Amino acid sequence: FEFEKIWLANILINARHLHHSAPERTIGHYEGMLKGQAALLISAGPSLKDSLEWIRAAREGAFLLACDTALGVLLSAGIAPDGVVCLDAQKQSLWHFLGKDLAQTTLLCDTVIHPSILRAVRPRRVIFSTTARFLSRADGSVYRETTPGTEFLENLVGPVGDIQSGGSVATTAFDMLRFLGAGHIYLVGQDLAYTGRQIHATGTHHIYGWLTRIHRLSTLEGINQAVLLKRHTAPIAGIGGGTVPGDHVLDLYRHWFEDSIPQAGLGVTNCTRQGALIANCEHTIIDPAILPRFQRDRQSPFYKKEELTNHEHLPAHHLYNDLCLALDNGTYEAFFETYTFLKPLRRKAEVYFKRNASRLSAE
């Protein structure tokens, strides 16, 4: 209930950047683009700082796709990824991008991304995707479950391209690489653990934010430990033997990878230096020299600069006007019958009202 209203609002606002005439702004336009080539999926686990020279050496042999949290670490080391993925709808995600030069990097983002990011950031190009899950009914049929508002968006602009997610940016990035046709994915910085009792790699915006809070009685290590103590950590099997501290949330992401890797139909090697052991993939630091040279299609729109422009969609204006009328006149039934994709939010609001009836006023 907390997030879905934000997702919906962001989808409706970001619809202005999509249009039938601009399919190259959708990830569906790039399906199979990598043609079986190697790809690096770079996350911001604490061990990432130990892999920067390895990434630099592997740069010419693979497509580099970074999670937004890892972007600052890479750019500070002089490594510009081919693409960076942003999934979160909260405005705080803007901190990953402020002051960063994205002239050589394409932003791949979910349609729920906060609109302020698209106003403030100037990447080489912006490519949108939608999040969807494909589930089975009791009768064996398969149905598609999407973020509320996606069907309304697709009626405006056509198919965008479905990416499945396990709830983190890294899981979305993994499925993007599968969708783009990668032949082998090398995971880097995918600790999925608090390696060295650290939250993220040095160089993320979290660390820079903590630096402003340092004083005589507050150290960087102390701030990190205070955050970690709020997590319910437990030891899990680590790379190379022994254990590393993890928690329930990180376990959920690790299990997603373990379930998804066998279904992806491609090779996966975990080249993360330290962290949690991930089942169903090989753990080894390969020699970057064995990678054949990555063939970038410079004619693809993916590698061409494009300023993001706006398009006017009259149905979106009609929705907003009808909502204002419904609020003014109390004609909610007619409004929800016209815009049926909003009904899930209405049901969740009704549940919220019933659960909190003793605390809410009649208004």
Side-chain angles (χ1 to χ4, degrees):
F1 180 68
E2 177 184 358
F3 292 115
E4 283 199 354
K5 56 185 179 182
I6 300 173
W7 295 339
L8 176 61
N10 291 354
I11 287 174
L12 294 176
I13 294 170
N14 292 334
R16 62 187 173 178
H17 300 306
L18 290 164
H19 196 266
H20 284 284
S21 64
E24 64 278 0
R25 291 185 195 162
T26 68
I27 199 167
H29 185 75
Y30 302 93
E31 184 173 5
M33 178 187 76
L34 298 181
K35 300 178 181 177
Q37 298 189 87
L40 304 187
L41 196 173
I42 305 169
S43 304
S47 73
L48 175 59
K49 61 184 182 296
D50 300 322
S51 297
L52 293 175
E53 289 307 314
W54 183 90
I55 294 171
R56 196 189 314 278
R59 182 72 179 88
E60 295 305 315
F63 178 85
L64 263 62
L65 185 63
C67 298
D68 51 9
T69 42
L71 178 65
V73 182
L74 293 175
L75 293 179
S76 296
I79 303 170
D82 293 286
V84 59
V85 179
C86 187
L87 173 67
D88 296 327
Q90 291 87 344
K91 192 174 183 178
Q92 289 88 332
S93 294
L94 181 60
W95 289 108
H96 299 305
F97 301 99
L98 286 180
K100 305 297 188 297
D101 181 5
L102 295 181
Q104 300 179 61
T105 301
T106 295
L107 173 61
L108 297 102
C109 58
D110 195 283
T111 51
V112 303
I113 187 176
H114 198 278
S116 66
I117 297 173
L118 301 176
R119 289 195 295 267
V121 177
R122 291 293 177 267
R124 174 172 57 199
R125 169 179 291 274
V126 177
I127 296 173
F128 291 94
S129 66
T130 51
T131 297
R133 292 191 302 168
F134 296 88
L135 305 172
S136 298
R137 295 188 178 90
D139 62 2
S141 60
V142 176
Y143 67 98
R144 174 177 178 250
E145 182 181 86
T146 63
T147 309
T150 298
E151 292 183 5
F152 182 80
L153 172 71
E154 291 174 336
N155 286 335
L156 295 179
V157 304
V160 177
D162 290 337
I163 300 297
Q164 299 194 58
S165 176
S168 72
V169 180
T171 59
T172 294
F174 181 89
D175 200 56
M176 279 185 176
L177 289 174
R178 177 202 60 78
F179 184 88
L180 293 173
H184 200 109
I185 297 176
Y186 296 92
L187 305 177
V188 188
Q190 192 60 243
D191 292 39
L192 293 174
Y194 302 114
T195 308
R197 296 189 64 78
Q198 299 293 310
I199 308 297
H200 293 290
T202 303
T204 63
H205 89 82
H206 309 84
I207 304 298
Y208 286 120
W210 292 348
L211 290 175
T212 65
R213 296 161 53 188
I214 292 176
H215 54 78
R216 185 169 58 88
L217 301 178
S218 177
T219 64
L220 186 61
E221 293 79 4
I223 295 171
N224 184 87
Q225 290 306 310
V227 173
L228 194 61
L229 287 172
K230 295 179 182 179
R231 315 278 172 97
H232 299 288
T233 60
I236 56 175
I239 296 172
T243 61
V244 288
D247 67 6
H248 174 66
V249 175
L250 294 178
D251 279 350
L252 290 176
Y253 302 149
R254 178 168 55 85
H255 292 316
W256 186 92
F257 277 105
E258 292 175 343
D259 291 341
S260 300
I261 287 171
Q263 302 175 37
L266 46 79
V268 178
T269 301
N270 191 358
C271 296
T272 302
R273 300 279 173 171
Q274 302 177 67
L277 199 65
I278 302 175
N280 299 324
C281 70
E282 182 184 15
H283 293 73
T284 184
I285 310 299
I286 68 161
D287 180 357
I290 70 173
L291 296 173
R293 188 175 181 83
F294 180 71
Q295 302 297 320
R296 289 176 176 80
D297 180 7
R298 295 299 183 184
Q299 300 307 310
S300 170
F302 189 96
Y303 292 102
K304 293 183 178 179
K305 176 71 176 175
E306 185 209 34
E307 292 293 336
L308 203 57
T309 56
N310 295 340
H311 302 273
E312 186 171 0
H313 299 293
L314 290 180
H317 287 285
H318 294 158
L319 185 154
Y320 179 73
N321 291 332
D322 290 347
L323 174 60
C324 292
L325 289 173
L327 292 170
D328 290 340
N329 302 327
T331 54
Y332 307 117
E333 292 299 331
F335 176 77
F336 283 111
E337 286 305 316
T338 302
Y339 302 101
T340 55
F341 71 94
L342 293 172
K343 285 186 175 181
L345 291 184
R346 176 182 182 172
R347 286 196 296 270
K348 291 184 180 185
E350 289 170 345
V351 170
Y352 176 82
F353 294 152
K354 290 179 180 178
R355 285 180 177 173
N356 297 276
S358 61
R359 299 193 297 113
L360 297 174
S361 66
E363 183 183 357

